[in-house]
Amino acid sequence: MSSVASSSSLVFTTHRRGQPRIERKTTFRCSSASWSAQEYSDEKKRLKMRALSEAHKSFLGRWHRDASKNENVFEYLEAHDMDGNRSTATYVQVWDTTTDEATNTFLGEGAFSVWTVSSTGTERKLSYPLGEFVEKYEGESNIFGPGPGEVHRKATWDMSSRTHEVTSTSQLGFESTTRTTDESGDWMTCVRRYRKKDGSVDVSCVEHFERTSLKSL
């Protein structure tokens, strides 16, 4: 962004009855700026970020799972016909505020995009706008079933308790993922529950993530 500074002066005259007039000169400085489209877009995002709650900001950044604190994660993976040993893999998530890709609209409070990578080869980016939405997928999914298929999802946000929840209904059953950050903003607790459609499985697990960077990217 380029800017050119300029200045202007105003003269104020004050006096009391029977006393000489006193002139006071005040100089104001201002600048004219030329913004690029990207700079303008970035500044709009920064302004909106300032309006986000501390609860929302406590989710942003890079999170590493502490596998030593896992609770029933091995069994949870096995219930999805996945290798339970993946419970000890390096698992990292990066949280950012969601932007609608179609309209480039900043969705704001409680809406997140989550990029996940792991040492087992997982690499995906999912967006969670608030409310109900449908997510389509191709190929075989251990979590949702054979593809092509779709998952009916709903994301909710409770600012007062720093809680973000996503529920998913697929051909295999129902799943909920509830994440909460602590008051320090250093730890995130993730509680997952899976109920198979035929009622033969109802299993939960708890994961703990430590925030290692405040930067989303």
Side-chain angles (χ1 to χ4, degrees):
M1 178 180 69
S2 60
S3 62
V4 179
S6 61
S7 64
S8 59
S9 299
L10 294 178
V11 177
F12 296 89
T13 302
T14 60
H15 74 286
R16 293 181 179 178
R17 187 183 300 275
Q19 294 184 0
R21 294 175 181 271
I22 300 174
E23 289 189 348
R24 177 165 50 88
K25 185 176 182 180
T26 304
T27 301
F28 298 90
R29 295 186 63 83
C30 59
S31 63
S32 60
S34 176
W35 293 72
S36 70
Q38 185 59 50
E39 287 172 327
Y40 180 68
S41 176
D42 290 345
E43 182 63 15
K44 284 178 67 179
K45 184 174 182 179
R46 280 192 291 270
L47 289 172
K48 290 183 178 180
M49 281 290 290
R50 292 177 194 143
L52 295 173
S53 70
E54 290 304 312
H56 180 103
K57 292 176 184 177
S58 74
F59 275 74
L60 304 180
R62 185 176 291 107
W63 300 84
H64 286 244
R65 182 177 66 183
D66 185 344
S68 69
K69 298 179 183 294
N70 283 351
E71 301 174 42
N72 211 46
V73 177
F74 184 98
E75 292 78 7
Y76 191 85
L77 291 169
E78 292 278 306
H80 277 295
D81 295 324
M82 300 171 70
D83 183 1
N85 291 315
R86 295 178 61 163
S87 61
T88 60
T90 300
Y91 193 82
V92 180
Q93 292 191 327
V94 180
W95 286 63
D96 198 1
T97 307
T98 296
T99 299
D100 188 310
E101 295 182 359
T103 62
N104 199 32
T105 303
F106 188 76
L107 298 184
E109 182 73 29
F112 298 98
S113 290
V114 183
W115 179 51
T116 302
V117 293
S118 74
S119 58
T120 60
T122 300
E123 185 172 348
R124 64 175 180 267
K125 182 178 181 181
L126 299 175
S127 293
Y128 300 109
L130 290 179
E132 297 181 356
F133 58 98
V134 176
E135 191 175 279
K136 297 182 182 296
Y137 65 93
E138 300 291 334
E140 184 77 17
S141 171
N142 290 94
I143 299 176
F144 302 130
E150 61 182 34
V151 186
H152 292 262
R153 314 191 89 169
K154 181 179 181 180
T156 58
W157 169 245
D158 183 356
M159 183 174 63
S160 63
S161 62
R162 297 178 179 234
T163 301
H164 181 266
E165 183 174 73
V166 178
T167 58
S168 306
T169 303
S170 70
Q171 57 186 300
L172 295 183
F174 175 85
E175 188 157 13
S176 63
T177 304
T178 307
R179 296 179 173 93
T180 306
T181 58
D182 68 359
E183 288 297 322
S184 71
D186 294 331
W187 288 93
M188 177 190 291
T189 301
C190 176
V191 180
R192 304 181 192 271
R193 183 183 181 187
Y194 170 55
R195 286 177 286 168
K196 203 167 183 179
K197 194 173 184 179
D198 61 10
S200 61
V201 173
D202 188 344
V203 60
S204 299
C205 73
V206 181
E207 297 168 291
H208 299 272
F209 291 79
E210 183 179 14
R211 183 153 65 171
T212 57
S213 174
L214 296 177
K215 294 183 179 180
S216 297
L217 299 176

